[in-house]
């Protein structure tokens, strides 16, 4: 087998408390991993030997350290793939940063650990010293650029195309298990089922029609697919962005428009996974001087406070602090172009904290 597959970590959906209507639950399921449109996703490459995994050396009882750092030519491939996604004209943009604490996406290149990525806003659940994406083989080899495009697709919230319930794909399950149990994957049956054979809920799928040309589709060698019959001899997507891939990101992240009095001035989404009493801080650089509304949306009681940075120190500007009775809290403040402002979001209680996000408009 020559194809090498991406493997996603198993992340069960959060269990909501009783109450929301079925349509609301469906919307939460489909959108819980997507970023707020207009988000700038900052990415950072692990670059030192201090960040590494300690792995066993088979047959020796010993271990060795494997660095997460990647060579510059590997990084250049990833940079070009970020540009390709951004050049579609979506409302999401990407920016490389030099400080891991500023990055939502932290990218490693550990050989032997496969290629994988957190899906969408699940990246915000990872600790600052953890990877949210790994690229585990040579991206400069022929045909491997698609690996980076694929992982960025996951970072944008896309899932595996062959798991779409609309695909009509029927596998020879035991042949798939046997294939993935061998090199180069050595996957367990559970891992194979989760990443290949398991069907997604319709609300999670990338689209309502299966796209065999998608960058999120796996190639499959002869004998693994039983139906549709035309793919029994193999399924071989081109490893490039398809028309449906572009449609997906433009549907979720339409192009941003110049800000007007009532238009969104997006900056960043709040981290997922905030528990009662936890908080997140953000920095705003306003594109123009005017009065803005700062606020949150979600299913929890929140407090929003804004600070202005003066002489290197944040000073209180405006806020709504009512002891935790706020819901979808908003405040207004006059922000001046060229100054930096801090926004603090504190979550008091929420069954659906994964929906909480902060915006400025």
């Amino acid at each position: 087998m020559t194809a090498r597959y991406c493997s996603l970590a198993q992340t069960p959906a959060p269990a909501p408390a009783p109450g929301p209507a079925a349509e609301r639950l469906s919307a939460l399921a489909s959108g819980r991993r997507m970023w707020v449109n207009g988000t700038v996703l900052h990415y950072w490459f692990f670059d030192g030997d201090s960040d590494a995994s300690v792995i066993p050396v088979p047959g020796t009882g010993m271990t060795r350290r494997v660095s997460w750092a990647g060579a510059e030519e590997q990084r250049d491939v990833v940079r070009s793939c970020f540009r390709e996604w951004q050049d579609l004209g979506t409302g999401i943009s990407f920016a490389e940063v030099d400080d891991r604490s500023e990055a939502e996406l932290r990218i490693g290149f550990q050989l032997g650990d496969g290629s994988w990525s957190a899906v969408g806003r699940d990246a915000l659940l990872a600790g600052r010293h953890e990877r949210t994406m790994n690229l585990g083989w040579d991206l400069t080899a022929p045909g491997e650029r698609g690996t980076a495009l694929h992982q960025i697709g996951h970072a944008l919230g896309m899932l595996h195309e062959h798991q779409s319930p609309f695909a009509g794909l029927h596998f020879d399950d035991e042949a798939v298990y046997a294939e993935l149990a061998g090199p180069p994957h050595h996957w367990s049956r559970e891992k194979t089922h989760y990443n290949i054979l398991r069907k997604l809920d319709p609300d999670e799928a990338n689209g309502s029609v299966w796209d065999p040309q998608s960058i999120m589709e796996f190639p499959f060698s002869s004998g693994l697919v039983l139906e549709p019959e035309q793919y029994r001899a193999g399924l071989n997507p081109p490893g490039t962005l398809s028309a449906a891939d572009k449609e997906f990101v433009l549907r979720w992240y339409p192009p941003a428009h110049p800000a007007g009095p009532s238009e969104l001035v997006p900056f960043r989404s709040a981290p997922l996974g905030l528990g009662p009493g936890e908080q997140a801080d953000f920095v705003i650089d306003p594109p123009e001087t005017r009065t803005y509304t700062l606020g949150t949306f979600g299913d929890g009681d929140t407090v929003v406070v804004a600070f202005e940075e003066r002489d290197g120190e944040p000073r209180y500007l405006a806020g709504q602090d009512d002891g935790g009775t706020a819901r979808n809290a908003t405040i207004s403040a006059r922000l001046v172009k060229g100054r930096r402002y801090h926004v603090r979001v504190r979550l008091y209680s929420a069954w659906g904290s994964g929906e909480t996000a902060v915006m400025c408009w």
Side-chain angles (χ1 to χ4, degrees):
M1 179 177 189
T2 57
R4 288 180 287 194
Y5 295 157
C6 152
S7 96
L8 298 182
Q10 297 192 35
T11 54
E23 310 85 63
R24 171 64 172 157
L25 293 177
S26 175
L28 292 180
S30 62
R32 69 184 179 87
R33 287 167 157 169
M34 308 306 290
W35 301 95
V36 175
N37 192 34
T39 296
V40 178
L41 288 178
H42 305 82
Y43 64 92
W44 178 81
F45 296 115
F46 286 92
D47 58 1
D49 291 336
S50 60
D51 295 297
S53 295
V54 177
I55 64 174
V57 179
T60 68
M62 303 176 66
T63 60
R64 65 186 181 96
R65 296 179 79 256
V66 181
S67 173
W68 296 347
E72 191 65 19
E73 57 267 27
Q74 303 293 322
R75 301 184 192 190
D76 283 343
V77 173
V78 180
R79 291 180 181 115
S80 72
C81 290
F82 274 119
R83 287 194 296 271
E84 183 168 344
W85 277 107
Q86 185 165 326
D87 287 347
L88 298 179
T90 71
I92 291 285
S93 58
F94 304 100
E96 185 176 353
V97 293
D98 297 325
D99 185 341
R100 78 172 74 197
S101 68
E102 298 178 3
E104 294 83 14
L105 310 179
R106 295 176 296 283
I107 303 169
F109 296 85
Q110 182 190 335
L111 296 177
D113 194 32
S115 290
W116 49 264
S117 173
V119 177
R121 297 193 298 179
D122 284 352
L124 298 174
L125 299 174
R128 289 300 184 190
H129 296 279
E130 298 176 0
R131 292 166 292 172
T132 68
M133 183 186 298
N134 190 74
L135 299 156
W137 47 80
D138 183 6
L139 301 178
T140 66
E144 293 298 348
R145 186 174 182 276
T147 297
L149 289 172
H150 179 102
Q151 301 310 329
I152 295 170
H154 283 315
L156 288 169
M158 301 179 76
L159 294 171
H160 288 147
E161 189 68 15
H162 55 273
Q163 294 182 275
S164 168
F166 310 112
L169 280 174
H170 296 279
F171 291 96
D172 182 332
D173 291 5
E174 290 306 317
V176 172
Y177 284 129
E179 188 85 347
L180 273 293
H185 297 91
H186 305 287
W187 282 2
S188 66
R189 289 176 70 91
E190 181 182 29
K191 194 170 189 176
T192 298
H193 178 266
Y194 187 81
N195 283 281
I196 295 183
L197 301 177
R198 176 182 63 98
K199 294 301 182 187
L200 300 172
D201 185 277
D203 292 318
E204 295 181 288
N206 297 335
S208 59
V209 177
W210 175 51
D211 176 22
Q213 305 299 305
S214 172
I215 193 62
M216 307 310 294
E217 175 60 66
F218 281 3
F220 292 103
S221 57
S222 176
L224 299 184
V225 176
L226 298 178
E227 300 291 341
E229 186 175 355
Q230 69 195 85
Y231 297 111
R232 289 184 182 180
L235 195 166
N236 296 289
T240 56
L241 300 184
S242 70
D245 295 333
K246 300 171 186 177
E247 179 183 343
F248 173 87
V249 294
L250 289 171
R251 181 174 74 250
W252 276 102
Y253 308 119
H257 298 287
S262 62
E263 291 180 303
L264 181 69
V265 181
F267 54 108
R268 297 174 75 177
S269 62
L272 301 183
L274 289 180
E278 295 181 343
Q279 68 184 37
D281 293 347
F282 298 88
V283 175
I284 307 174
D285 295 300
E288 61 177 308
T289 299
R290 61 178 174 86
T291 298
Y292 292 83
T293 300
L294 311 174
T296 65
F297 67 85
D299 294 294
D301 299 330
T302 57
V303 167
V304 181
V305 182
F307 303 87
E308 180 181 358
E309 188 174 278
R310 298 180 186 172
D311 303 322
E313 296 293 332
R315 301 184 184 183
Y316 178 82
L317 182 66
Q320 178 170 332
D321 189 349
D322 53 11
T325 61
R327 187 179 181 86
N328 297 332
T330 60
I331 59 172
S332 294
R334 181 171 176 79
L335 306 183
V336 178
K337 181 178 180 179
R339 296 184 187 174
R340 288 165 61 86
Y341 298 87
H342 298 256
V343 177
R344 177 164 298 158
V345 179
R346 186 175 180 88
L347 185 68
Y348 278 90
S349 64
W351 69 262
S353 59
E355 286 299 297
T356 300
V358 60
M359 296 186 298
C360 173
W361 67 93

